[in-house]
Amino acid sequence: MKDQTNEEPLDPMPGELPVTAGRPGSASAQHVEKHGAAPVDPDALFSQVLDSANLNLAWKQVKANKGAPGMDGMTIDDFPAFAREHWERIRSQLREGTYHPAPVRRVFIPKPDGSQRPLGVPTVLDRVIQQAIAQVLTPLYDGEFSQHSYGFRPGRSAHQAVRHVESGWKQKTRYAVDCDLKAFFDTVNHDKLLTQLRGKIGGGKLLRLIGRYLRAGVELPDGSREDTPLGVPQGGPLSPLLANIVLDPLDKELERRGHHFARYADDFVILVKSAKAAERVMGSVMNDVEKEMDLTVNRTKSRSGKLTETTFLGFQFNGQGQVKWSAKALERFKQRVREPTRSGDRQPTGCPEGEWSESNHQTQPGAECPVCDQRTAALCFGLDELLRNQPHVCHGAVT
């Protein structure tokens, strides 16, 4: 990495760690994705995280995301100089198990219903480390995740989840159990999550480091700090993988029962063949989620009923089982794609801070946004006329 492009290696010193098995792109990583993970040596796994090639790949990904500064105020452009001066000390701390992540910076993003979604913006340094961890752990876990899980996974998307629900109509499963997990990302039990991780990656420094990220706390807009005894803060590179790990037992239980279902992050729909079955399954699932998984079901938003009366990820289904946009989602979509292109460093309304920049999220007419999937969804669900003649600036997910 050269000075003018801010692509200096994180480890320019001799004596790099060996490129060990399981690193993204390696033959063994591909084997793990296909066949599932064998028991791993925790120390070897941590060495993979600190492998120079893995760290440089993590830095490139964080840099490409062009996120906002964390609580220390350090920008993406500031990081290479910081890393040249301090990386050897930080890596020594990581190796010795003495590194402590910084609290995340709390930001609030408006939701369509008028409430606010709390996000946590880690420092650039912690985003690089989290990304390095995610790159090593994803091949260990993703190949064993359910085929009905669509959120935050390579090669999967929200509109694939919607199409999977649509396919249930042809199988005569036309009643839906729509479960909403209340404040899921804020209520994950750390001890249970770490126990799940220990079963796959063992104990040791990597597990302790992940635990420290979970408990790092948050810095609020007024400068005060709060502990995080529960939850997986939304906003860091590692959080999506951890969320899928937490919910994987739910997927496996639904598969064991033979249900047709789709899950995207904490939003999931189960399809059954009758109203009675929907009521029974809803009661059973709520009991499992709350008693076995220590999560809370939002009973106000959760419901069972006809598939044609269900909204999933901003979409509904007509009397022939075909996908259509919900009225609210369609109106939001139209407003977003018709807004004029923004310039400078202004943050588009509704786009999570740290996930938008004009240079890599603005697309030309007819092109696909790599982040919010709006154009893919529009083309897939018959709204391409809204997009054909105008550019698009990412405003976050349509749902």
Side-chain angles (χ1 to χ4, degrees), residues 55 58-59 61-63 65-72 74-77 79 99 101-102 104-105 120-135 213 235-238 353-355:
L55 286 164
W59 158 240
Q61 184 62 53
V62 170
K63 181 189 173 189
N65 289 342
K66 298 182 180 289
M71 54 86 68
D72 62 354
M74 184 186 300
T75 66
I76 291 289
D77 291 339
F79 182 72
Y99 178 79
V104 297
R105 182 168 64 88
V121 181
T123 64
V124 177
L125 172 61
D126 283 325
R127 294 208 293 274
V128 171
I129 297 171
Q130 284 192 36
Q131 180 67 31
I133 295 172
Q135 288 169 181
Y213 273 114
L238 189 56
E353 187 165 350
E355 292 188 9

Side-chain angles (χ1 to χ4, degrees), residues 140-159:
L140 289 176
Y141 281 95
D142 194 76
E144 297 184 352
F145 284 153
S146 167
Q147 62 177 338
H148 305 291
S149 169
Y150 292 89
F152 310 125
R153 296 183 60 192
R156 290 176 170 257
S157 67
H159 72 263

Side-chain angles (χ1 to χ4, degrees), residues 50-207:
L50 297 181
D51 171 39
S52 298
N54 185 54
L55 286 164
N56 278 291
L57 181 62
W59 158 240
K60 289 179 180 180
Q61 184 62 53
V62 170
K63 181 189 173 189
N65 289 342
K66 298 182 180 289
M71 54 86 68
D72 62 354
M74 184 186 300
T75 66
I76 291 289
D77 291 339
D78 294 334
F79 182 72
F82 170 85
R84 282 195 299 271
E85 183 176 353
H86 298 286
W87 178 245
E88 281 304 314
R89 172 180 58 83
I90 293 166
R91 189 163 71 167
S92 294
Q93 291 177 348
L94 289 165
R95 282 173 169 166
E96 295 166 4
T98 60
Y99 178 79
H100 288 269
V104 297
R105 182 168 64 88
R106 172 69 77 223
V107 295
F108 294 94
I109 304 301
K111 296 172 67 174
D113 61 5
S115 62
Q116 292 187 316
R117 174 182 288 111
L119 298 181
V121 181
T123 64
V124 177
L125 172 61
D126 283 325
R127 294 208 293 274
V128 171
I129 297 171
Q130 284 192 36
Q131 180 67 31
I133 295 172
Q135 288 169 181
V136 170
L137 294 190
T138 294
L140 289 176
Y141 281 95
D142 194 76
E144 297 184 352
F145 284 153
S146 167
Q147 62 177 338
H148 305 291
S149 169
Y150 292 89
F152 310 125
R153 296 183 60 192
R156 290 176 170 257
S157 67
H159 72 263
Q160 288 176 341
V162 173
R163 286 302 192 196
H164 182 65
V165 174
E166 182 188 34
S167 71
W169 184 272
K170 299 176 182 178
Q171 300 177 28
K172 309 296 183 182
T173 52
R174 299 178 181 179
Y175 288 83
V177 177
D178 182 7
C179 279
D180 181 86
L181 299 180
K182 186 175 183 180
F184 165 72
F185 284 91
D186 299 325
T187 59
V188 170
N189 183 296
H190 291 171
D191 290 339
K192 289 194 173 185
L193 170 55
L194 293 172
T195 297
Q196 283 182 264
L197 289 167
R198 186 179 291 108
K200 174 76 72 174
I201 68 174
K205 296 173 185 177
L206 179 55
L207 187 69

